[in-house]
Amino acid sequence: MVGSVEVGALSEKSNGKVDLLMEEFDPMAVVSEPLPPVVVDNVECVNGEAKTKTREIVLGKNVHTSCLEVTEPEANDEFTGDKDAYMAGVLARYRRTLIERTKYHLGYPYNLDFDYGSLAQLQHFSINNLGDPFIESNYGVHSRQFEVGVLDWFARLWEIEKNDYWGYITNCGTEGNLHGILVGREVFPDGILYASRESHYSVFKAARMYRMECVKVDTLISGEIDCTDFRTKLIPNKEKPAIINVNIGTTVKGAVDDLDLVIQTLEECGYSHDRFYIHCDGALFGLMMPFVKRAPKVSFKKPIGSVSVSGHKFVGCPMPCGVQITRIDHINALSRNVEYLASRDATIMGSRNGHAPIFLWYTLNKKGYKGFQKEVQKCLRNAHYLKDHMRDAGISAMLNELSSTVVFERPLDEEFVRRWQLACQGNIAHVVVMPSVTIEKLDDFLEELIQKRATWYQDEKVRPPCLSAEIGVENCACPLHKILGKLSLGLHDQWSPDNFPVTACFRTLGQKYGTVENLVGSLSRFFFWKLLNPTWQTSYREPDQNQIYKITQLSNQQILTQISKKLKLAKALAGNSIENSYKQFIASL
Amino acid sequence: MVGSVEVGALSEKSNGKVDLLMEEFDPMAVVSEPLPPVVVDNVECVNGEAKTKTREIVLGKNVHTSCLEVTEPEANDEFTGDKDAYMAGVLARYRRTLIERTKYHLGYPYNLDFDYGSLAQLQHFSINNLGDPFIESNYGVHSRQFEVGVLDWFARLWEIEKNDYWGYITNCGTEGNLHGILVGREVFPDGILYASRESHYSVFKAARMYRMECVKVDTLISGEIDCTDFRTKLIPNKEKPAIINVNIGTTVKGAVDDLDLVIQTLEECGYSHDRFYIHCDGALFGLMMPFVKRAPKVSFKKPIGSVSVSGHKFVGCPMPCGVQITRIDHINALSRNVEYLASRDATIMGSRNGHAPIFLWYTLNKKGYKGFQKEVQKCLRNAHYLKDHMRDAGISAMLNELSSTVVFERPLDEEFVRRWQLACQGNIAHVVVMPSVTIEKLDDFLEELIQKRATWYQDEKVRPPCLSAEIGVENCACPLHKILGKLSLGLHDQWSPDNFPVTACFRTLGQKYGTVENLVGSLSRFFFWKLLNPTWQTSYREPDQNQIYKITQLSNQQILTQISKKLKLAKALAGNSIENSYKQFIASL
């Protein structure tokens, strides 16, 4: 339907100036890209366009860049004390490095602010909660009493009764996901795993490990799961149960999937509650959400199967750990299938770190619900502070409403990235505002970033990357979007050439800007649209729409060249005010 | 062939005294079993016979026997200090418990003897080696330099070049097995997993998780893989590659599978080196074997794919950890298959404990190869000491040649088992002699065990279990095997009624004991055989051999009743010396 309207609209256009303008249109006139490609993980910048390509995996070698070799003690070491002195020296230097690195840490969601001095006395013991937290083993040096206390606390947080839940303290967020998805698969052996593209990589690792069919669902610009796409992907697979990974905070953008909408979509597609299993990956925000007003509640009163959260993130812990809670019915189902085991074997790992539960128990007791609430509020406040100050400084930045993850333009200098230990992906980097991240630290960071940027981008040929594809036009402050913003062209989603009859669109633009049509000719709108939406690929392939298609294939630089030509053309037709705007536009690129 | 010989031999017998004796044979005359059933994991004792049955899994509930509840802080806690005082009290009590439990620990292979005081300073840091040890992450608070140092040390131990191996420090032995088997599956997606019945349960968990076909291979009495059975199981599956879990120390008996024989069996069955993958589960002995003379060497010069070892066992570490080493070629193969990942993602876990590598690095540096060698020798010596003293005290006990795991009769009293934290399975328990287990500790344990046994077995009706099926006739000191040993009946494997022509067998016995036939009649030999080999099930089902079959169905108690009757019968025929032997026999039961 939409398609046919558009084709009609375009046919109308193709009888106008399009052909004329396209005569001087030379898509091959590629201006060499002045931007040095940003060295990134899985994206290579070519001609200013981010092209996703498979990252070259370092194969065939192990990098031994830094290695503290283990050496055999000398016969007289005990006498001379040389080795002891050497080791003490290594450790002291290492400790200083850790202090320094802890100070300049912003990129990972680890709360580095903890004091477990009272627990140092326990380091002398080999504490191991092997197996199930609720089944005593004969190994006496365990901390199950602490573990169960912590699990009960989380069960209360996620609204499930003591007798209805089962859980354990894991080694990390990945183990939680591996467990949740395994339980889902055991409940529905032929179930299909659905997860948004921005889910943590461990979710896809699980699918591969467990030999599960896995369907990737698109995401919105915010990073949330796109439930329209989810619906499209659910419907053809209706004969198989669904296992869904819901992100309570994605890794990169801190986006919180709308759990209620996911459930609603499943119901609307005809999945009854006994035909789906939802695992909530709350690695980071699973513990923050309950304290954020307006946040969709993670609760076992809803038809979810499991929730996991990391313990070393918001809580803070010397070593990685996590909490996994699921319904005991599921664990019973899983255990009934296990014919080769003498006992319930429901954990992924066998021997389990018994110190982690004590660290968690200690912090939960110290802070309590109220303490966490205060810290969550502080983190969200500080995250807003950072985002606002970045935007004020003209830096592209985004902050999801329910998140303390500020996504922004990837710093050009890898040294800076390493110094602040920023996690990067493609053109974006992020700061996760944890309780250990104070306003002072953010100020230091901002000051340094602004200073450095002035040097990175002092040469006009080097420009900050455009992030409209990653964080949306409204959050992008790249030179182009900055000037477009100033020009107030105001091209919004609903004006997409793909969505909106061209005539109506032009009428609106005409009403608003009067001389837009005169300025760059009728096709220029498509140039602008492409600039604003680098990923736009029109579906028009009608022979007489070929020019439109060609535009969608151009790089930004090529488009700018075209606009420049058209502006010259338009100059004769248009008033000076537009020319001035153009000058300003070019100057700030 | 063997079968037909035996049938012939038995037909011969059935024309003799058999029928006569069987007239007074009443298999229904079941004497009620005076032994209280031992409360065990997956074995229930009925009439003195260990019957394997599925353990009742505790379903539908979580046992909250001990739980240190997390409580919300009071508003005035900071002022009064009440909560701090409460928590300090809990921790102090807990510490005392840990000291006590560490003192009385024998059953688990954890070296509890370590002093990491110099590392306490690092507890303040959230050290995380997320991802690959050889690929730097931007998170600066890591310990990769220590980790790589430790890995290099193990690579040297297992004879693989720095550039040829890949590995990482895991969370526990289970993670090592999960990784090794996953790599095997990625190398051979349609491979069949072979593992001996006495492999660690994580191996079978892996098969289930990874949806792999899994074939269980029988074991010898020692606990080693039975390569004859392995061959039988390999041959029909020759069209599929083989993935083999080789135990470098089984969990229960500490049996070391013969790696060279496993490889030889594969080769003889026509598996070329590119058609199998061997994972060596060296959870415990992977670190001890290299220091034991005569032990088959674990080495990457042999066609093995991976080796794992636990770090908290022989080395000793406050929290569980392990080392996993594999060939980098395999990891490259694995990474090439990963289309959805931006980077090499070859570890099972994502965030990884950065403290564990430092603990390992510290101990390896302190002790070195020589230090470990000394400790291994001490452990083996002490294990022999324990085994010998147990046998001297008339307790069934076994110690594999390459092992420090002493397997013995499961103590009757669960309180005693818990106190010494013994790991039990069925009728057996074990002590794993680790560096922290001194002669003094063993003496204390032995003294208490002997004392307790005197009370457990003071009433003649309660007798220690027969362990001939678990640890072999020669290691069993149950009342029956004790007296049989004294009588020097000397029935050995080669004299099995299933293996040996009866006439020849009787000739031998006759030569040796003269009056054996007179003593208990011709059928009694089968009674004795059944007593010595509780699992014996004859394959003779010829109609005229039915009596033999019936004997194999009898419980020990029923057999003893029959022997008692026959001894009365034999009394008339035999001399006094045999009668005295019989009295002694009955008295010591």
Side-chain angles (χ1 to χ4, degrees):
Chain A
M1 276 304 290
V2 172
S4 63
V5 168
E6 288 168 321
V7 168
L10 276 158
S11 303
E12 200 178 305
K13 281 296 320 147
S14 62
N15 297 329
K17 292 174 191 167
V18 176
D19 291 344
L20 177 71
L21 279 163
M22 291 319 277
E23 276 163 27
E24 47 179 293
F25 177 82
D26 177 12
M28 293 303 109
V30 180
V31 176
S32 71
E33 173 56 49
L35 265 172
V38 179
V39 182
V40 292
D41 268 2
N42 55 349
V43 170
E44 195 184 36
C45 281
V46 177
N47 298 333
E49 297 288 340
K51 288 190 185 171
T52 304
K53 71 165 222 173
T54 317
R55 184 202 178 153
E56 207 182 331
I57 293 164
V58 184
L59 295 176
K61 58 174 181 169
N62 284 334
V63 185
H64 276 72
T65 42
S66 62
C67 166
L68 287 164
E69 205 193 345
V70 174
T71 55
E72 189 69 9
E74 302 281 337
N76 61 349
D77 267 347
E78 268 186 54
F79 178 69
T80 65
D82 282 355
K83 181 127 196 190
D84 280 352
Y86 159 75
M87 287 170 68
V90 168
L91 290 169
R93 272 199 310 280
Y94 179 60
R95 183 165 172 272
R96 278 199 302 276
T97 316
L98 291 183
I99 291 174
E100 197 62 13
R101 288 188 181 158
T102 298
K103 204 162 93 189
Y104 289 103
H105 173 266
L106 284 180
Y108 292 78
Y110 309 146
N111 179 9
L112 306 185
D113 183 17
F114 49 74
D115 176 8
Y116 290 123
S118 335
L119 303 181
Q121 54 179 324
L122 303 180
Q123 199 192 265
H124 303 288
F125 302 100
S126 182
I127 313 181
N128 189 337
N129 292 354
L130 60 166
D132 195 301
F134 299 99
I135 299 176
E136 288 271 332
S137 122
N138 283 338
Y139 182 62
V141 188
H142 67 79
S143 65
R144 280 184 172 73
Q145 60 277 50
F146 293 91
E147 184 172 19
V148 173
V150 170
L151 293 174
D152 282 352
W153 191 90
F154 278 92
R156 214 152 58 232
L157 187 70
W158 294 324
E159 305 186 312
I160 183 165
E161 293 295 320
K162 275 190 193 183
N163 285 327
D164 295 338
Y165 89 86
W166 181 92
Y168 74 108
I169 294 186
T170 60
N171 283 299
C172 58
T174 291
E175 188 176 352
N177 288 342
L178 289 182
H179 192 273
I181 294 168
L182 183 63
V183 170
R185 194 200 70 176
E186 296 299 287
V187 172
F188 297 122
D190 63 337
I192 296 176
L193 176 63
Y194 298 86
S196 91
R197 295 190 181 283
E198 302 200 25
S199 302
H200 191 252
Y201 63 86
S202 59
V203 171
F204 305 106
K205 176 152 70 180
R208 184 184 169 87
M209 276 170 69
Y210 301 153
R211 293 188 157 164
M212 292 170 79
E213 203 177 327
C214 176
V215 174
K216 276 191 189 176
V217 181
D218 286 342
T219 46
L220 308 175
I221 282 273
S222 66
E224 285 171 63
I225 190 167
D226 176 354
C227 280
T228 312
D229 188 58
F230 181 40
R231 180 187 306 265
T232 314
K233 281 164 178 165
L234 274 176
I235 289 171
N237 294 310
K238 269 179 73 174
E239 79 287 358
K240 287 189 180 171
I243 297 159
I244 307 101
N245 176 71
V246 166
N247 297 304
I248 308 303
T250 61
T251 318
V252 175
K253 296 181 180 172
V256 178
D257 289 347
D258 188 335
L259 175 59
D260 296 329
L261 189 58
V262 165
I263 294 170
Q264 190 190 322
T265 306
L266 283 159
E267 289 170 345
E268 286 172 5
C269 290
Y271 287 77
S272 55
H273 287 195
D274 59 352
R275 294 273 295 163
F276 65 82
Y277 179 98
I278 293 176
H279 169 67
C280 297
D281 174 8
L284 171 58
F285 293 147
L287 188 48
M288 292 175 73
M289 279 307 98
F291 306 110
V292 180
K293 284 172 203 156
R294 306 175 313 276
K297 207 168 187 179
V298 173
S299 162
F300 279 92
K301 290 184 178 162
K302 300 178 182 178
I304 62 171
S306 46
V307 184
S308 58
V309 71
S310 292
H312 57 298
K313 292 182 179 163
F314 197 74
V315 182
C317 187
M319 70 278 292
C321 61
V323 174
Q324 169 72 357
I325 299 274
T326 181
R327 295 180 192 275
I328 194 159
D329 290 349
H330 294 324
I331 291 301
N332 291 341
L334 183 137
S335 303
R336 263 192 289 271
N337 293 335
V338 181
E339 91 287 352
Y340 49 77
L341 287 174
S343 171
R344 182 164 86 181
D345 174 36
T347 57
I348 302 261
M349 293 303 159
S351 283
R352 297 189 301 107
N353 185 343
H355 293 269
I358 309 176
F359 289 121
L360 296 182
W361 180 87
Y362 188 82
T363 301
L364 297 186
N365 259 307
K366 279 283 222 188
K367 295 189 177 166
Y369 291 93
K370 273 185 206 140
F372 282 114
Q373 192 155 35
K374 263 189 219 165
E375 290 199 332
V376 168
Q377 282 161 358
K378 195 184 89 179
C379 289
L380 294 183
R381 221 167 32 233
N382 290 356
H384 272 278
Y385 175 87
L386 174 63
K387 192 261 289 174
D388 291 345
H389 280 70
M390 280 188 163
R391 296 292 291 277
D392 290 349
I395 304 169
S396 304
M398 175 179 87
L399 172 62
N400 277 314
E401 193 197 357
L402 305 171
S403 167
S404 71
T405 302
V406 178
V407 179
F408 62 102
E409 155 206 313
R410 182 185 184 129
L412 195 62
D413 179 9
E414 282 299 308
E415 179 48 37
F416 181 87
V417 167
R418 260 198 302 279
R419 176 170 151 82
W420 290 96
Q421 301 161 46
L422 305 174
C424 297
Q425 190 180 73
N427 279 328
I428 59 177
H430 73 207
V431 160
V432 188
V433 180
M434 287 281 102
S436 54
V437 176
T438 58
I439 288 282
E440 292 68 39
K441 205 173 197 175
L442 291 176
D443 280 341
D444 288 350
F445 169 72
L446 273 166
E447 194 182 331
E448 196 177 318
L449 177 64
I450 292 167
Q451 238 171 37
K452 291 274 183 184
R453 273 183 106 249
T455 64
W456 300 333
Y457 301 121
Q458 63 182 348
D459 180 353
E460 276 192 16
K461 286 181 184 162
V462 184
R463 296 166 192 146
C466 170
L467 298 189
S468 60
E470 288 91 349
I471 62 175
V473 174
E474 65 281 14
N475 295 311
C476 182
C478 79
L480 178 68
H481 287 108
K482 214 183 275 178
I483 191 63
L484 288 176
K486 282 185 192 158
L487 284 171
S488 294
L489 275 177
L491 288 168
H492 294 305
D493 272 358
Q494 66 271 31
W495 292 350
S496 157
D498 279 339
N499 292 344
F500 208 77
V502 170
T503 44
C505 181
F506 266 62
R507 196 163 52 243
T508 315
L509 286 170
Q511 279 166 0
K512 203 161 179 188
Y513 305 105
T515 57
V516 166
E517 276 166 287
N518 291 336
L519 174 64
V520 283
S522 54
L523 254 189
S524 61
R525 183 175 143 269
F526 294 99
F527 287 129
F528 276 108
W529 186 257
K530 176 66 183 168
L531 284 173
L532 287 162
N533 301 281
T535 57
W536 176 46
Q537 296 288 343
T538 184
S539 51
Y540 309 147
R541 297 298 303 268
E542 305 295 320
D544 58 346
Q545 306 302 337
N546 205 27
Q547 300 293 14
I548 309 287
Y549 174 70
K550 276 184 185 161
I551 289 175
T552 69
Q553 303 303 302
L554 295 179
S555 70
N556 279 358
Q557 193 57 44
Q558 290 169 323
I559 290 178
L560 289 177
T561 313
Q562 289 299 320
I563 294 181
S564 162
K565 284 184 187 172
K566 283 170 195 49
L567 280 166
K568 278 175 204 155
L569 180 77
K571 207 176 157 186
L573 307 165
N576 260 349
S577 62
I578 297 294
E579 192 186 15
N580 286 341
S581 298
Y582 166 66
K583 274 184 192 156
Q584 199 184 342
F585 173 87
I586 292 298
S588 41
L589 284 179
Chain B
M1 275 303 291
V2 172
S4 63
V5 168
E6 288 170 322
V7 169
L10 275 157
S11 303
E12 200 179 305
K13 280 297 320 146
S14 63
N15 298 329
K17 293 176 188 164
V18 176
D19 290 335
L20 177 71
L21 279 164
M22 291 319 278
E23 276 165 24
E24 48 180 289
F25 177 82
D26 177 11
M28 293 304 107
V30 179
V31 177
S32 71
E33 174 56 47
L35 265 173
V38 179
V39 182
V40 290
D41 268 0
N42 55 350
V43 170
E44 196 186 35
C45 281
V46 177
N47 297 332
E49 296 289 338
K51 288 188 186 174
T52 303
K53 71 166 223 172
T54 317
R55 183 199 179 160
E56 207 182 332
I57 293 164
V58 184
L59 294 176
K61 59 175 180 166
N62 284 334
V63 185
H64 275 73
T65 41
S66 63
C67 166
L68 287 164
E69 204 191 347
V70 174
T71 55
E72 188 69 6
E74 302 281 337
N76 61 348
D77 267 346
E78 269 186 54
F79 177 69
T80 64
D82 282 354
K83 181 127 194 189
D84 280 351
Y86 159 75
M87 285 170 68
V90 168
L91 290 170
R93 271 199 311 280
Y94 179 60
R95 184 166 171 272
R96 279 199 300 276
T97 316
L98 291 184
I99 292 175
E100 195 63 14
R101 288 190 182 157
T102 298
K103 204 162 94 190
Y104 288 104
H105 172 265
L106 284 180
Y108 291 79
Y110 308 147
N111 179 8
L112 306 186
D113 181 18
F114 50 73
D115 175 8
Y116 290 122
S118 335
L119 302 181
Q121 53 179 323
L122 303 179
Q123 200 192 264
H124 303 288
F125 303 100
S126 181
I127 313 181
N128 189 335
N129 292 354
L130 59 167
D132 195 300
F134 299 99
I135 299 175
E136 288 271 332
S137 120
N138 283 337
Y139 182 62
V141 188
H142 67 80
S143 64
R144 280 183 174 74
Q145 61 275 49
F146 294 91
E147 182 171 21
V148 174
V150 170
L151 293 174
D152 281 353
W153 191 90
F154 278 92
R156 216 152 55 231
L157 188 71
W158 295 324
E159 305 187 311
I160 183 164
E161 292 296 319
K162 275 189 192 184
N163 285 326
D164 295 339
Y165 89 85
W166 182 91
Y168 74 107
I169 293 186
T170 59
N171 284 300
C172 59
T174 291
E175 189 176 353
N177 288 342
L178 289 183
H179 192 273
I181 294 168
L182 183 62
V183 171
R185 194 200 69 176
E186 294 300 285
V187 173
F188 297 122
D190 64 335
I192 296 176
L193 177 63
Y194 298 86
S196 91
R197 294 189 182 284
E198 302 200 25
S199 301
H200 190 252
Y201 63 85
S202 59
V203 171
F204 305 107
K205 177 153 69 178
R208 183 183 170 88
M209 276 170 71
Y210 300 153
R211 293 187 156 165
M212 292 170 79
E213 202 178 325
C214 177
V215 174
K216 276 192 189 176
V217 181
D218 286 343
T219 45
L220 308 174
I221 282 273
S222 67
E224 284 170 66
I225 189 168
D226 177 353
C227 279
T228 312
D229 188 58
F230 181 39
R231 180 187 306 267
T232 315
K233 281 164 179 165
L234 274 176
I235 290 171
N237 294 309
K238 268 179 74 173
E239 79 287 357
K240 287 190 180 170
I243 297 159
I244 308 101
N245 176 71
V246 167
N247 298 304
I248 309 300
T250 60
T251 319
V252 175
K253 296 180 181 172
V256 178
D257 290 348
D258 188 334
L259 174 59
D260 297 328
L261 189 57
V262 166
I263 294 170
Q264 191 191 321
T265 306
L266 283 158
E267 289 169 345
E268 285 172 4
C269 290
Y271 286 77
S272 55
H273 287 195
D274 60 351
R275 293 274 295 162
F276 66 81
Y277 180 99
I278 293 177
H279 169 67
C280 297
D281 173 8
L284 172 57
F285 293 148
L287 188 48
M288 293 176 73
M289 278 307 100
F291 306 110
V292 180
K293 286 171 204 158
R294 307 176 313 276
K297 208 166 186 179
V298 174
S299 163
F300 279 92
K301 291 183 177 163
K302 300 178 181 177
I304 61 171
S306 46
V307 184
S308 58
V309 70
S310 292
H312 58 297
K313 291 183 180 162
F314 196 74
V315 182
C317 188
M319 71 277 292
C321 61
V323 174
Q324 169 72 357
I325 300 274
T326 181
R327 295 179 192 275
I328 192 161
D329 290 349
H330 294 325
I331 291 301
N332 291 341
L334 182 137
S335 303
R336 263 193 289 273
N337 293 335
V338 181
E339 91 288 353
Y340 49 77
L341 287 173
S343 171
R344 184 165 83 182
D345 174 36
T347 58
I348 302 261
M349 293 302 159
S351 283
R352 298 189 301 106
N353 184 343
H355 292 268
I358 309 177
F359 289 121
L360 296 182
W361 180 88
Y362 188 83
T363 301
L364 297 186
N365 259 306
K366 279 284 221 188
K367 295 189 177 166
Y369 291 93
K370 272 183 207 140
F372 283 114
Q373 192 157 34
K374 263 190 220 162
E375 289 198 333
V376 168
Q377 282 162 358
K378 195 185 89 178
C379 289
L380 294 183
R381 224 169 26 238
N382 289 356
H384 272 277
Y385 175 89
L386 175 62
K387 191 261 290 174
D388 291 345
H389 280 71
M390 279 187 162
R391 296 293 290 279
D392 291 349
I395 304 169
S396 303
M398 174 178 85
L399 172 61
N400 276 314
E401 194 197 356
L402 305 172
S403 167
S404 71
T405 302
V406 178
V407 180
F408 62 100
E409 155 205 314
R410 181 184 184 130
L412 196 63
D413 178 9
E414 282 298 309
E415 179 49 36
F416 181 86
V417 166
R418 259 198 303 279
R419 175 170 152 84
W420 291 96
Q421 301 161 47
L422 305 174
C424 298
Q425 190 180 71
N427 278 329
I428 59 177
H430 73 208
V431 160
V432 188
V433 179
M434 286 281 103
S436 54
V437 176
T438 58
I439 289 282
E440 292 68 41
K441 205 172 194 176
L442 291 176
D443 281 340
D444 287 351
F445 169 71
L446 272 165
E447 194 183 330
E448 196 178 318
L449 178 64
I450 292 167
Q451 236 171 40
K452 291 273 182 185
R453 272 183 106 249
T455 63
W456 299 334
Y457 301 121
Q458 63 181 346
D459 181 352
E460 277 191 18
K461 283 182 187 164
V462 185
R463 295 166 196 149
C466 170
L467 297 190
S468 60
E470 287 92 350
I471 62 175
V473 174
E474 66 281 14
N475 295 311
C476 182
C478 77
L480 177 67
H481 287 109
K482 213 182 278 178
I483 191 64
L484 288 177
K486 283 186 192 157
L487 284 171
S488 294
L489 273 176
L491 287 169
H492 295 304
D493 272 358
Q494 67 270 33
W495 293 351
S496 156
D498 279 339
N499 292 345
F500 208 78
V502 169
T503 45
C505 181
F506 265 63
R507 199 163 50 243
T508 316
L509 285 169
Q511 280 163 2
K512 202 161 176 185
Y513 305 105
T515 57
V516 166
E517 277 166 290
N518 292 335
L519 174 64
V520 284
S522 56
L523 251 190
S524 61
R525 184 174 142 269
F526 294 99
F527 287 129
F528 275 108
W529 186 256
K530 176 66 182 168
L531 284 173
L532 287 161
N533 301 281
T535 57
W536 176 46
Q537 296 289 341
T538 186
S539 48
Y540 310 145
R541 297 298 302 270
E542 306 296 320
D544 58 347
Q545 305 303 336
N546 205 26
Q547 300 294 13
I548 308 287
Y549 173 72
K550 276 185 185 159
I551 290 175
T552 70
Q553 303 304 303
L554 294 180
S555 70
N556 278 358
Q557 193 57 45
Q558 290 169 322
I559 291 179
L560 288 177
T561 312
Q562 288 300 320
I563 294 181
S564 163
K565 282 185 187 170
K566 282 166 195 56
L567 281 166
K568 279 177 200 153
L569 181 75
K571 208 176 158 185
L573 308 167
N576 259 349
S577 62
I578 297 296
E579 191 186 17
N580 286 343
S581 297
Y582 166 65
K583 274 182 190 158
Q584 197 183 344
F585 173 87
I586 292 299
S588 40
L589 285 181

